[in-house]
């Protein structure tokens, strides 16, 4: 099923808000974007797995702990967002990731990869139910 353009824009907004929340360590904004039973998993170069982190509270702890150890300002650049499947209640979308940081005094790319998001439509908005991030190399 093809989503209505307004719904597709709403999904894009959810993904952009996710990236902004990560970049600013805004756990309250991130909490509003995740379903209660969110699952977050990562793979580094197809070899090392992180997670799964089960539930919104676990994902928020992961982000809080990771943010504490970071130096500089990170930016999650999500590009080439594509829809894999969608219906009125569920959508799956992927996006390329380029992660930049200004740690060390100049901006540099610190990681590249992709995200796959499963979103659920509930209470009038799209929320992230599942996150998979595949990094091309270790950070």
């Amino acid at each position: 099923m093809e989503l209505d353009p307004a719904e597709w824009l709403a999904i894009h907004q959810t993904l952009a808000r996710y990236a902004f929340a990560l970049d600013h360590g805004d756990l309250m904004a991130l909490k509003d974007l995740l379903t209660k039973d969110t699952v977050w998993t990562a793979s580094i170069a197809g070899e090392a797995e992180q997670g799964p982190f089960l539930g919104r509270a676990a994902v928020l702890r992961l982000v809080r702990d990771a943010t504490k150890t970071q130096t500089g300002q990170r930016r999650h650049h999500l590009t080439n967002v594509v829809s894999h499947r969608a219906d009125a209640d569920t959508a799956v979308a992927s996006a390329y990731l380029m992660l930049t940081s200004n740690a060390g005094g100049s901006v540099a790319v610190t990681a590249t990869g992709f995200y796959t998001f499963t979103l659920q439509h509930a209470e009038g908005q799209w929320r992230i139910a599942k996150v998979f991030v595949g990094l091309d190399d270790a950070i």
Side-chain angles (χ1 to χ4, degrees):
M1 169 182 163
E2 273 300 309
L3 283 178
D4 175 273
E7 290 300 318
W8 185 234
L9 180 59
I11 288 171
H12 272 255
Q13 285 295 303
T14 299
L15 302 184
R17 286 185 179 112
Y18 172 83
F20 268 79
L22 292 177
D23 293 343
H24 296 283
D26 188 344
L27 297 180
M28 292 307 294
L30 187 58
K31 179 181 176 184
D32 289 341
L33 296 169
L34 303 174
T35 63
K36 189 175 182 177
D37 58 351
T38 296
V39 177
W40 189 97
T41 308
S43 174
I44 301 170
E47 296 177 8
E49 292 270 334
Q50 290 186 339
F53 294 87
L54 305 174
R56 183 170 45 208
V59 173
L60 292 173
R61 273 192 306 277
L62 170 69
V63 171
R64 184 190 65 229
D65 294 348
T67 302
K68 285 181 184 178
T69 65
Q70 295 170 355
T71 59
Q73 177 62 59
R74 291 186 172 212
R75 301 282 185 223
H76 290 75
H77 307 268
L78 303 182
T79 64
N80 298 9
V81 179
V82 295
S83 171
H84 297 290
R85 65 179 188 274
D87 59 36
D89 299 320
T90 306
V92 177
S94 291
Y96 285 134
L97 165 68
M98 182 174 63
L99 182 63
T100 59
S101 174
N102 69 352
S106 63
V107 176
V109 175
T110 59
T112 59
F114 69 94
Y115 276 103
T116 300
F117 297 94
T118 302
L119 300 101
Q120 293 179 346
H121 195 264
E123 300 171 14
Q125 77 177 49
W126 288 97
R127 288 192 167 89
I128 299 168
K130 199 180 279 187
V131 177
F132 177 83
V133 59
L135 298 173
D136 296 330
D137 206 350
I139 298 175

